[in-house]
Amino acid sequence: MMFKIALVGAGRIGRIHARNAALHPRLALDAVVDPVAASAQALASEWGASVRTLEETLADPGIAGVIIASSTDTHLPYSLRAAAAGKAVFCEKPIDQDLSRARGAAAELAHARLLLAFNRRFDPNFQALKARLDGGAIGVLESLQITSNDPAPPPASYIAVSGGLFKDMAIHDFDMARWLLGEEPVEVYAAGSCLVDPEIGKLGDIDTARTVLKTASGRLCVVSNSRRSGFGYDQRIEAYASGGMVRADNVAESTVQVWNEQGVAADRFQNFFLDRYAEAYRREMDHFAEVLEGAAPRVGYADGVAALALADAAAQSVRSGQPVRL
């Protein structure tokens, strides 16, 4: 069965979702919504869709699902409107930048067909790591090390509207921590600095952070974030358990290596999140098709609120210098 879907937001991430939806065997990209008419028309023309308003889209009974890839401030209100219209929803993270507002939507969204786009759960490398943990390959999990460093800092204009490092960047890692730990963190301690770009500090944000999450049973997760690695997109996870360690490492541009008297030279790491997580984005769209067919979303509204709560707690810990109990 083919499902007609609409895309809200024709920017960078919207274009990725448009391609994956349009090429999917069970989905048909029917409409594109964006306040910038030229962007909407260009993307719609590329994939044979029409340009519509959000009101027209939600009123169309033929539209089964809506992908919300618009600006962060629209994620929650658009999700509420789409869910109320009976549509399945695929919403980019975060669900909102305000925790109280996000929690206030529980009555409408807690049981909605809403897939929240924490795409790293769909990365094949991280899925394989979790399968090893769940299968007991290294015994009982004790601690995690999640490393997530961007290749270079974004422009100041992006930082100004991002919501800050914890809500914009580390929130992915907080979701991964919850997914892999198998328990909810009950305590958060974070330290942050501005070491990469002084402009980020002038905007009231940090560009470097270390966050420690602790669960009720004592499991620990250290999340390391920086807006600059200096060597590509740095995405690694190490899980330590009673019987050893399982690790998911960075992905290189190729597997080619040169071996000679000077040693071994390998290809560089992938340098952009759209390259590193291309397969994760495709698998995420596969799962949205499953949601449209009746499957329960593997990542939903409650996960979005929980990750946002961790981001809020980390920011509070940086300000106070103290651990924050959840």
Side-chain angles (χ1 to χ4, degrees), residues 120-121 123 125-134 140-147 172-185 213 215 219-221 223 236-240 246-248 303:
R120 295 182 191 181
R121 292 204 196 194
D123 175 72
N125 301 289
F126 297 157
Q127 286 184 335
L129 182 146
K130 181 169 172 57
R132 300 295 195 284
L133 288 177
D134 292 349
V140 179
L141 178 66
E142 296 169 352
S143 65
L144 292 172
Q145 169 69 45
I146 298 177
T147 301
H172 277 292
D173 306 304
F174 296 150
D175 179 69
M176 289 299 295
R178 294 182 58 247
W179 185 51
L180 295 172
L181 285 168
E183 307 177 50
E184 293 296 333
L213 309 175
T215 70
R219 286 179 177 171
L220 297 172
C221 175
V223 176
R236 292 171 282 138
I237 296 178
E238 295 174 346
Y240 298 87
V246 59
R247 172 176 176 167
D303 297 297

Side-chain angles (χ1 to χ4, degrees), residues 120 126 144-150 169 173 176 209-210 221-226 229 231 233-238 247-250 276-277:
R120 295 182 191 181
F126 297 157
L144 292 172
Q145 169 69 45
I146 298 177
T147 301
S148 179
N149 299 321
D150 285 346
M169 180 183 182
D173 306 304
M176 289 299 295
R210 299 292 184 268
C221 175
V222 178
V223 176
S224 299
N225 297 112
S226 174
S229 73
F231 53 84
Y233 195 39
D234 186 19
Q235 300 285 290
R236 292 171 282 138
I237 296 178
E238 295 174 346
R247 172 176 176 167
D249 212 338
N250 282 315
R276 170 63 182 81
Y277 289 116

